[in-house]
Amino acid sequence: RQNMDDMKLRSNQRGEVMPRSKLTPPAIRLIRQCHSDGHYSATKLAQILSISVPAVCDIINRESWRHIK
């Protein structure tokens, strides 16, 4: 029961509220903008931000951080 209550409490946390989050909403917007403008590839953005390429791709494709416009 206690685990279920904890899961419900934590499931509403998104993005920067998560304790291990390395990114902020402005960084998410910048990733999307830089990629859409063609300035940086997903690989280069991942290297710059020290995150994985799949994480960057998920951000670009709005599979993660979709609550950030």
Side-chain angles (χ1 to χ4, degrees), residues 28-39:
I28 299 305
R29 290 183 193 99
L30 187 62
I31 289 169
R32 290 178 179 154
Q33 187 64 48
C34 287
H35 187 266
S36 70
D37 290 348
H39 295 296

Side-chain angles (χ1 to χ4, degrees), residues 7-59:
M7 184 181 70
K8 287 178 186 176
L9 175 68
R10 294 179 187 276
S11 67
N12 290 331
Q13 293 180 342
R14 293 174 144 189
E16 71 280 0
V17 179
M18 298 299 287
R20 295 184 182 184
S21 178
K22 293 183 178 181
L23 302 172
T24 61
I28 299 305
R29 290 183 193 99
L30 187 62
I31 289 169
R32 290 178 179 154
Q33 187 64 48
C34 287
H35 187 266
S36 70
D37 290 348
H39 295 296
Y40 293 98
S41 66
T43 303
K44 189 63 178 173
L45 287 166
Q47 289 172 346
I48 291 168
L49 297 167
S50 300
I51 60 175
S52 69
V53 174
V56 173
C57 291
D58 286 349
I59 291 166

